[in-house]
Amino acid sequence: MKIRPILLAAFVLSAFAVSGVALVVITQAVMDDRIAENQRQAMERKLAAILPAGRADNDPLTDTIEVSARELLGADTTRVYRVRQGDEPVAVILEPVVPDGYAGPIRLLVSVLTDGTVGGVRVLSHHETPGLGDKIEEAKSDWVYGFAGTSLGDPPIERWGVKRDGGDFDQFTGATITPRAIVKAVKNTLIYVDQQGARLYQEASSQPQTANRPATATDQEAS
């Protein structure tokens, strides 16, 4: 039996196998980096959309802290982005979770300016019914824009609810559960920020993190 040709063939096959695995690993690493960068850019756009134009000169994605306030913010931990202009605070942007959406949790971005007003609200992810609860998406309706400029005093806190419940906020035809839950979550976020005050800006930043939240999903809801 000729051993040398067999060993040579085994060596060649092994080299191909190692090269193939290395190529897969390198390709995966490149794709992961690209996906992470795309997700970061998407989050940057979402943050910028709910901030006063020209008021920030720091990077909120790296100026973050984690807080724990499940009762008001809906999760064991909540990320808070701090927005500054020089040394002056401009806003905090929180990622509260709406635990009582019709078809599951809803993840939000809520910007609260230093004067206590809402800079804006955006939906990061949800599972609400297409054509009903999914009107919380800015691509489907302008409903979520209605929070900008509101505060705990405007409307009065007792009117932070949907109109069906005697509040000031619209609900959707055939879908009340979703807007009701989001109005409550935004109100609770304002209460939390009001309680914490300047402490949210003073705590040392956590390690820089890359935003990697999902965009939007849809599932089922009815009122």
Side-chain angles (χ1 to χ4, degrees), residues 158-200:
E158 64 271 14
R159 296 189 63 83
W160 268 83
V162 295
K163 291 180 178 178
R164 180 175 293 183
D165 300 333
D168 282 8
F169 294 87
D170 292 331
Q171 62 268 340
F172 310 140
T173 301
T176 300
I177 294 174
T178 303
R180 177 187 287 139
I182 289 182
V183 170
K184 177 183 176 182
V186 176
K187 179 187 73 172
N188 285 345
T189 301
L190 286 172
I191 291 172
Y192 176 78
V193 174
D194 183 63
Q195 291 175 348
Q196 298 301 310
R199 291 169 56 191
L200 292 174

Side-chain angles (χ1 to χ4, degrees), residues 72-140:
L72 290 174
L73 302 178
D76 290 335
T77 59
T78 301
R79 187 176 300 177
V80 180
Y81 305 90
R82 281 89 64 87
V83 184
R84 311 173 194 266
Q85 187 173 49
D87 295 329
E88 295 298 318
V90 172
V92 286
I93 302 176
L94 295 86
E95 290 188 10
V97 173
V98 183
D100 48 358
Y102 183 82
I106 301 168
R107 303 193 69 89
L108 300 178
L109 276 180
V110 180
S111 166
V112 184
L113 309 184
T114 51
D115 64 0
T117 61
V118 176
V121 175
R122 293 294 185 272
V123 175
L124 289 178
S125 67
H126 74 87
H127 301 277
E128 306 303 284
T129 306
L132 291 174
D134 69 343
K135 292 176 184 176
I136 57 177
E137 294 178 36
E138 57 184 308
K140 301 293 179 64

